[in-house]
Amino acid sequence: MKITDVEPICLRIPPLDASCTWGDDAFLVRIHTDEGIVGIGESDTSPICARAFIDAPHSNLHCMGLRRILLGENPLEIQRLWDKMYAASNYSGRRGLGIHAISAVDIALWDIAGQYYGVPVHTLLGGKYRDTIQAYGTFIPTPSDEENRSLVRSLLKKGYTSLKFGGGVLGDDPEQDIAIIAGICEEAGGDAEIAIDLATKWGHYQHAAYMLERLKSFPLKWVEEPLPSDCTYGIKRLERVQDTPIAGGEDLTTQYEFESYMKATGVSIIQPDITRCGGISEMRRIHALSRRYAARLIPHGFSTGILLAATAHFLASIPEGTLIEYSQSKSPLFCKLVKNLIPFRDGRISVPSSPGLGVELDESVIEAYRM
Ligand code: MG
């Protein structure tokens, strides 16, 4: 089998010059083969930048677009192709955007391999530990206490036993933060575990420590990204001063960044995003490291049903993969792009069982939002 084309697809709902939020744009890759098998991958990144990383011509030995690296290759040789992409994009890639684009390709290659061998990706990863996974619902809070409470009520009614909120106004103002968190925790009333996500907005150690001290009485499952991931010493101090686990790492790529981060911070929970960290292949290596550094791996995932499926296959294949993020975005790129989106039911999702990722795309959604 040979790769005949690498097709980047950029999707976006708002106009190009308007602002956009999580879930409202997407970057997909379809890898076509001479045997008619098509693999689907995704990266939750800047779509147009990632497309350029695929399309780029050959500049030199260490600066090459991914399509040129992959054409004519056997898509089943996933690790060799990962290494080839990494080496041949060493100047322009290596971390960040380059690894985002490689992640999308890597996921598509695993999808091809699963279809070729007629097994789900989790079988290729060594087998599944479970048929269902507890899912936590992620939402963006508003300044309105009543709106937040009514959203929490509707999520509990749907069967969520674990919730996370962040983004929006959370992190902007200490009194508002406390009011939002208190309202949501009170409404959940012990029926769901609660985590909060500061998306780095507490900004510096002194403020984050002050806020955590004030939040001591709330039983938070974790506090996500109180500080930017480069503030490793601050995160280490936060982990030491209080009992709530600190989580982070959705912005990090490759095993190398995760190892440095875990070593420097001693963080309780790492949250690699499978569509950014280097794909399924690199996620496995990050998982191995997480065990060595005693960090729990709970992946980040707030994009399309492709990301959701890739994350579900990976989590099914590891012993401690018992919690998955489930977006509450109303975007058609989450709700409609994947025709057979893994549904949430009674607090859990089912692990897919069809060959490959088991994802079917709705071409009319691609048509409607393709840039
Ligand atoms: Mg986050």
Side-chain angles (χ1 to χ4, degrees):
M1 185 161 47
K2 281 191 166 50
I3 294 173
T4 53
D5 195 14
V6 181
E7 179 196 4
I9 300 172
C10 298
L11 304 176
R12 183 181 172 95
I13 294 167
L16 264 185
D17 57 354
S19 60
C20 186
T21 193
W22 287 289
D24 281 352
D25 67 358
F27 175 71
L28 319 186
V29 164
R30 277 198 286 222
I31 297 185
H32 301 265
T33 65
D34 61 354
E35 296 201 10
I37 296 177
V38 178
I40 299 167
E42 165 177 23
S43 180
D44 182 5
T45 183
S46 167
I48 286 183
C49 295
R51 181 170 72 193
F53 206 84
I54 304 252
D55 290 343
H58 183 198
S59 284
N60 58 55
L61 179 64
H62 294 303
C63 220
M64 215 195 267
L66 299 188
R67 180 183 298 106
R68 205 186 154 93
I69 297 167
L70 294 164
L71 286 181
E73 289 282 5
N74 179 353
L76 300 176
E77 298 181 11
I78 301 174
Q79 188 53 50
R80 187 177 65 75
L81 295 182
W82 202 103
D83 295 339
K84 190 179 177 194
M85 288 188 284
Y86 188 70
S89 62
N90 180 269
Y91 288 171
S92 50
R94 217 169 69 82
R95 303 288 183 269
L97 179 71
I99 302 299
H100 298 171
I102 288 176
S103 304
V105 168
D106 179 81
I107 292 167
L109 293 177
W110 281 99
D111 186 26
I112 290 172
Q115 294 178 60
Y116 180 80
Y117 294 115
V119 294
V121 167
H122 55 71
T123 301
L124 297 179
L125 297 177
K128 65 175 168 171
Y129 282 88
R130 59 197 65 81
D131 294 317
T132 66
I133 302 172
Q134 186 191 12
Y136 75 88
T138 301
F139 66 93
I140 299 172
T142 78
S144 155
D145 185 49
E146 196 28 60
E147 274 174 42
N148 292 332
R149 284 172 183 266
S150 108
L151 187 55
V152 168
R153 281 195 297 275
S154 75
L155 291 169
L156 294 179
K157 216 168 154 190
K158 281 184 193 164
Y160 280 96
T161 51
S162 188
L163 298 173
K164 182 179 92 183
F165 59 93
V169 294
L170 197 72
D172 287 348
D173 174 78
E175 300 314 317
Q176 183 175 254
D177 286 355
I178 304 282
I180 290 172
I181 294 163
I184 290 172
C185 286
E186 187 183 83
E187 197 61 44
D191 292 335
E193 50 191 27
I194 302 280
I196 62 171
D197 181 0
L198 277 307
T200 77
K201 287 209 294 189
W202 280 345
H204 60 89
Y205 169 77
Q206 282 75 8
H207 181 58
Y210 161 78
M211 291 303 293
L212 287 177
E213 183 62 27
R214 291 192 60 185
L215 291 171
K216 249 181 172 168
S217 58
F218 300 103
L220 300 173
K221 187 173 169 74
W222 72 73
V223 174
E224 178 168 326
E225 289 198 304
L227 300 174
S229 52
D230 290 335
C231 296
T232 50
Y233 190 67
I235 295 169
K236 183 180 184 175
R237 286 177 72 187
L238 288 181
E239 272 284 2
R240 281 196 192 146
V241 296
Q242 47 86 54
D243 294 334
T244 309
I246 305 292
E250 67 183 76
D251 56 340
L252 302 179
T253 61
T254 75
Q255 58 183 306
Y256 309 108
E257 280 196 341
F258 274 96
E259 180 160 28
S260 308
Y261 178 72
M262 286 186 280
K263 216 186 246 181
T265 61
V267 81
S268 298
I269 297 167
I270 55 162
Q271 302 172 297
D273 185 310
I274 204 161
T275 73
R276 280 199 289 262
C277 72
I280 294 168
S281 301
E282 194 71 355
M283 185 67 118
R284 298 177 87 187
R285 293 184 275 272
I286 293 165
H287 169 241
L289 286 169
S290 74
R291 299 179 75 142
R292 194 183 308 159
Y293 288 94
R296 170 96 189 268
L297 190 159
I298 304 176
H300 175 265
F302 196 90
S303 188
T304 80
I306 304 167
L307 172 151
L308 182 66
T311 306
H313 281 278
F314 165 73
L315 283 177
S317 78
I318 64 167
E320 60 278 68
T322 53
L323 187 62
I324 191 166
E325 182 165 14
Y326 202 91
S327 169
Q328 298 302 310
S329 170
K330 300 276 183 286
S331 165
L333 300 185
F334 179 67
C335 304
K336 297 205 169 97
L337 174 67
V338 168
K339 280 201 268 186
N340 55 343
L341 178 71
I342 300 175
F344 169 87
R345 213 169 278 132
D346 300 328
R348 309 184 74 78
I349 60 141
S350 295
V351 174
S353 54
S354 39
L357 288 178
V359 158
E360 267 179 77
L361 299 182
D362 184 334
E363 295 300 326
S364 71
V365 175
I366 294 181
E367 194 95 338
Y369 300 111
R370 198 164 188 160
M371 277 190 246

